[in-house]
Amino acid sequence: MTKDDFDVASMIEQAKKPASGAIVTFLGIVRDDDIERIELEVYEEAALKFLEEIKDVAMQDYAIESVDIVHRYGPLNIGDNIVLITVSAGHRREAFSACEFIIEQIKEKVPIWKKEVGKDFERWK
């Protein structure tokens, strides 16, 4: 969990392992849904625990070499990076499956709340 942006290219580079033939990434960004920005709030202690558990389950249940997850919080503007997941594996199928599992688990379990802010409104999603 970080308030700072992250370097996508360096995280992909870190995911390269000798046994890897595939690296799958998921990059979530703030989209323009007729809003000006979003504000992400997080229960950081619990979020870090859940992210580590999700990573551990992915490493155990999928034939993958590595997993890295970075998720931002705080105010974010249109086009800003929100979350990056990198999964390396011997083969693409395992990497894709693990990456999909990870993002779905994050959305389901990690205590992160999003407030959308527009010109004349604020709403929690």
Side-chain angles (χ1 to χ4, degrees), residues 5-6 27-31 38 40 70-73 76 80-84 114:
D5 199 6
F6 44 83
L27 176 62
I29 59 173
V30 180
R31 70 177 170 270
I38 65 170
L40 296 177
V70 62
H71 204 298
R72 293 178 68 191
Y73 62 96
L76 300 170
D80 283 351
N81 296 327
I82 303 170
V83 60
L84 177 65
K114 176 175 74 171

Side-chain angles (χ1 to χ4, degrees), residues 30 35-39 75-78 115-118 122:
V30 180
I35 62 170
E36 293 180 349
R37 70 180 186 281
I38 65 170
E39 296 175 8
L76 300 170
N77 296 310
I78 305 298
K115 179 169 61 171
E116 296 180 339
V117 179
E122 293 184 356

Side-chain angles (χ1 to χ4, degrees), residues 113-124:
W113 302 275
K114 176 175 74 171
K115 179 169 61 171
E116 296 180 339
V117 179
K119 186 175 181 178
D120 299 318
F121 67 90
E122 293 184 356
R123 65 179 172 234
W124 288 96

Side-chain angles (χ1 to χ4, degrees), residues 29-77:
I29 59 173
V30 180
R31 70 177 170 270
D32 185 355
D33 276 345
D34 295 324
I35 62 170
E36 293 180 349
R37 70 180 186 281
I38 65 170
E39 296 175 8
L40 296 177
E41 292 188 10
V42 61
Y43 176 21
E44 192 168 1
E45 183 179 332
L48 292 171
K49 177 180 173 259
F50 280 117
L51 289 173
E52 194 62 34
E53 287 175 5
I54 292 166
K55 179 180 176 177
D56 290 347
V57 170
M59 290 294 295
Q60 184 176 340
D61 291 355
Y62 295 88
I64 57 178
E65 299 295 318
S66 71
V67 172
D68 289 297
I69 306 166
V70 62
H71 204 298
R72 293 178 68 191
Y73 62 96
L76 300 170
N77 296 310

Side-chain angles (χ1 to χ4, degrees), residues 11-20 22-24 55 58-59 62-69 85-90 94-95 98-99 102:
M11 289 190 65
I12 292 170
E13 195 61 35
Q14 289 175 11
K16 291 182 179 178
K17 308 294 180 205
S20 296
I23 296 174
V24 169
K55 179 180 176 177
M59 290 294 295
Y62 295 88
I64 57 178
E65 299 295 318
S66 71
V67 172
D68 289 297
I69 306 166
I85 301 165
T86 58
V87 178
S88 68
E94 291 85 357
C99 193
I102 292 164

